[in-house]
Amino acid sequence: MEPSKVYLLPLAVFVLFPATFIITYCIAVLLGHTEPEFPYISDTGTQSPESCIFGQALNLGAFLILFTLYIRFRQIAEFYRNHSSSSSIVRLNKAAFIVGSLSALGISLVANFQETSVLSIHICGALLAFGGGVAYLWLQALCSYKTHPLVNNIGVAHLRMFLAVVATICFVLGSITAIIAKTQYNGNNPRKWFPGDGGWQCHVISTASEWICATAFNIFMLTLVDEFKSLSVESPQVYITIENLTASQYLYSHEANSGSTNDIQAILSSHNYGS
């Protein structure tokens, strides 16, 4: 079977998110909705019109990520489906798909609930997106060591472990400094955070950590491209059950015309309903 172009999924994610952030950042800065120095990612997609692009692109990205994570889950599951000695990798694979799905859900929440509208849900979405993403990177790094050399080489496993460590440090450091910066802030608009507003150093560390953490997630997606080139995905099978309806109900329906009756007879015959 010829490999399909499923590798385009992680590649699309790798392109979509940086492109979205760059576009919304430029629009937000040009319209004066945020300052060019060290905004949070969400700050670049809070106000219209950039919020429209931000929300639509992140919703699409969340779907592409979920689809990519499912393909990754099935990739490992297929390799180890008939190997009872590989129960640990199977459990890791299932756990990774669950937390990865939660991370994709968090991205969608961030996209649809701006920080200026429903802050509590926006923060919950961000924690799900980044926290779930960090957990996913760790689980995938462990999976990559266990699947070496069957699925990936050892260099890829080392790279994914490095990305997990970087993302963890940035997530923890960014969360702590964000709380400190918020308590020290005395300005009027946190989306236009100036050095004189208080908590500037912690704000810089927090925003830089967020951008680096997001970059780590994006690079991980790029590492899947080469592995996905050997995968094939077929259209799902759809099965129709018509046993609950009798042949007479089909053949003598007052709504059926002669053409459709012939079609129905052929269908019923294929399901062993003929005389």
Side-chain angles (χ1 to χ4, degrees), residues 9-183:
L9 276 172
L11 187 61
V13 174
F14 176 76
V15 173
L16 176 64
F17 279 88
T20 300
F21 298 154
I22 291 172
I23 291 172
T24 55
Y25 170 85
C26 291
I27 295 174
V29 170
L30 289 174
L31 295 180
H33 295 162
T34 189
E35 292 300 309
E37 295 87 4
F38 302 102
Y40 286 105
I41 294 175
S42 297
D43 291 343
T44 68
T46 299
Q47 299 186 48
S48 180
E50 63 268 21
S51 62
C52 304
I53 301 172
F54 189 83
Q56 182 66 26
L58 260 63
N59 279 323
L60 175 60
F63 172 77
L64 292 177
I65 286 176
L66 185 61
F67 199 4
T68 301
L69 301 190
Y70 176 72
I71 298 297
R72 172 64 174 173
F73 165 74
R74 290 300 303 273
Q75 176 195 24
I76 297 177
E78 287 299 316
F79 271 112
Y80 294 93
R81 179 173 53 181
N82 299 320
H83 298 274
S84 58
S85 61
S86 304
S87 59
S88 61
I89 182 66
V90 172
R91 289 194 298 269
L92 283 174
N93 190 37
K94 289 181 179 178
F97 180 64
I98 291 172
V99 298
S101 300
L102 292 175
S103 180
L105 173 62
I107 294 173
S108 182
L109 291 176
V110 168
N112 294 296
F113 296 88
Q114 287 81 20
E115 56 184 333
T116 55
S117 301
V118 189
L119 180 60
S120 58
I121 297 181
H122 182 86
I123 292 176
C124 288
L127 290 175
L128 271 178
F130 285 96
V134 167
Y136 183 79
L137 287 184
W138 277 104
L139 290 169
Q140 282 300 323
L142 295 176
C143 286
S144 298
Y145 280 110
K146 288 182 175 292
T147 56
H148 159 71
L150 184 61
V151 178
N152 54 266
N153 59 54
I154 193 64
V156 171
H158 290 332
L159 174 58
R160 289 171 180 167
M161 179 59 73
F162 172 75
L163 293 174
V165 171
V166 170
T168 302
I169 294 173
C170 290
F171 177 68
V172 174
L173 184 62
S175 300
I176 294 174
T177 52
I179 295 173
I180 296 174
K182 185 65 176 178
T183 59

